[in-house]
Amino acid sequence: MAVLVTVIGVSGTAAIHFATQDRLGGVTAVSASGSDASNPGSYSYERVENPARTLVRQASGPLIATLTDGSRTVMLAGPSRTFREPKFTTVEVTTTAWVRLAPQPWAAGAEKAEWFRTWLAKSAGDTSPDIFAVAMQYIDSAAAVTNAKKLRVAGDATFGPDSGEGRLERSDFYDFLGVNWDFPDKVTEAASSERYGSLDCSGFVRMVYGYRAGYPLRGSNTAGPGLPRRAWAMSQLGPGTPIIADSGQRTLAYAALQPGDLLFFNLDPFDGPQIDHVGIYLGIDDEGHHRVLSSRQVANGPTFGDTGGKSLIDQGGKYSLAFRAAKRI
């Protein structure tokens, strides 16, 4: 089986080199015809609202990309893939959505900018690992991935030990890596040897979108450029486009969601109404339900499975009842 070697730019380190086969961390890639990325000028651009966004289509009509105002997250159409996690669920998620980060937040009319034309020509039809493929490199039994400096940057991640002190900040991406980190907002964090190889819910999001995909990260729970540390801060203070506003109550606005959105939950209302969990929206599973991928203590790491409660937001149960808000970063 042919092996495709790809290079992904990362924040704060050298580029990551890793090999991927047609089955990558629970993802099965099915070949399909790509778009004509060599001629982006032939595309049409349609503006829609709620949220404000631009739809990019081929001249023949098929949707190529969706770009949301104020967000770097772009949903591109690509070959169909099926995500599986048989240890924790019997369902599968098959999708043609490929999620990537544009170099800067989208704005109306940006299709005329040179940066966008260059980026679209490179990204349309690109089948190198996207946000979803990278995220699946941390689920149970995922193989270890090392970079050129022999630093383990991916592999089966645990949730991390409970401090026993009521601390919500457990295991960030630098704990998984085992390296200390200096953040742009003048915060320095030391990696914990006890949390090596671990990612809590927000740490998992920061690993995938931040360290691996290059989205800026903050060391504090404050407003400003980059994703803050905690789930509540991502929801309230972090950058991006609110897709479902947090009303303090459970939301049923599933139709507003797009694969790659960050979903926010209040799993423990006895500790107050504050958001305390974040995950990545995968899309519709083969039973027709909306499924989320997140790092969970009961499952001991990233999962879209059903251990300790189904990873669904639309069929009752723990996560459905706790689903409160969504954002597109």
Side-chain angles (χ1 to χ4, degrees):
M1 184 177 297
V3 177
L4 172 66
V5 179
T6 63
V7 180
I8 290 182
V10 298
S11 172
T13 68
I16 294 175
H17 299 258
F18 60 91
T20 164
Q21 299 174 337
D22 76 333
R23 185 171 181 83
L24 170 64
V27 183
T28 300
V30 181
S31 61
S33 59
S35 60
D36 180 14
S38 63
N39 187 19
S42 66
Y43 296 154
S44 66
Y45 301 88
E46 176 186 354
R47 289 290 293 173
V48 295
E49 298 299 324
N50 299 319
R53 60 199 188 278
T54 299
L55 307 182
V56 184
R57 298 184 185 277
Q58 284 183 323
S60 57
L63 184 67
I64 297 300
T66 302
L67 302 107
T68 303
D69 291 10
S71 172
R72 288 180 58 190
T73 304
V74 181
M75 185 179 71
L76 295 136
S80 176
R81 298 172 292 173
T82 296
F83 296 81
R84 300 181 176 92
E85 195 182 3
K87 182 175 180 179
F88 295 114
T89 183
T90 59
V91 303
E92 301 175 349
V93 178
T94 299
T95 181
T96 58
W98 292 65
V99 180
R100 301 191 184 279
L101 293 182
Q104 60 190 63
W106 184 252
E111 64 270 15
K112 301 175 183 178
E114 182 60 32
W115 74 261
F116 172 69
R117 291 177 174 269
T118 301
W119 181 85
L120 183 62
K122 177 182 177 182
S123 300
D126 181 11
T127 56
S128 65
D130 68 332
I131 290 293
F132 285 167
V134 170
M136 292 294 287
Q137 291 179 342
Y138 298 90
I139 67 171
D140 186 79
S141 300
V145 176
T146 58
N147 67 7
K149 295 184 177 180
K150 302 190 183 303
L151 180 69
R152 185 174 73 121
V153 296
D156 184 346
T158 61
F159 185 85
D162 193 325
S163 67
E165 301 172 354
R167 289 181 58 188
L168 295 177
E169 294 182 285
R170 294 187 177 90
S171 306
D172 204 356
F173 72 93
Y174 53 82
D175 292 308
F176 180 96
L177 299 171
V179 296
N180 300 338
W181 204 265
D182 295 320
F183 291 94
D185 53 344
K186 303 187 184 304
V187 174
T188 298
E189 293 286 357
S192 166
S193 59
E194 294 180 352
R195 297 170 184 161
Y196 176 70
S198 299
L199 295 167
D200 65 14
C201 66
S202 52
F204 174 55
V205 168
R206 282 156 62 88
M207 171 64 86
V208 173
Y209 277 95
Y211 179 77
R212 295 294 301 278
Y215 200 96
L217 296 171
R218 300 182 68 77
S220 58
N221 296 306
T222 56
L227 280 177
R229 172 64 182 97
R230 295 265 294 279
W232 69 264
M234 289 182 187
S235 174
Q236 298 175 20
L237 306 174
T241 305
I243 301 302
I244 302 175
D246 184 6
S247 67
Q249 304 293 325
R250 176 192 181 189
T251 179
L252 304 176
Y254 315 124
L257 298 175
Q258 178 175 286
D261 287 349
L262 298 188
L263 307 185
F264 299 97
F265 304 81
N266 175 222
L267 292 178
D268 194 353
F270 293 104
D271 283 344
Q274 182 170 275
I275 293 295
D276 56 17
H277 188 73
V278 60
I280 302 170
Y281 180 57
L282 277 180
I284 308 294
D285 64 26
D286 59 1
E287 294 182 347
H289 297 294
H290 298 268
R291 193 158 286 266
V292 60
L293 170 63
S294 65
S295 186
R296 297 157 51 177
Q297 192 167 23
V298 174
N300 196 25
T303 182
F304 64 89
D306 302 321
T307 297
K310 291 187 176 182
S311 298
L312 302 177
I313 59 173
D314 64 337
Q315 198 189 32
K318 182 176 182 180
Y319 291 88
S320 175
L321 296 174
F323 177 41
R324 288 249 299 264
K327 177 175 281 189
R328 196 166 297 158
I329 62 171

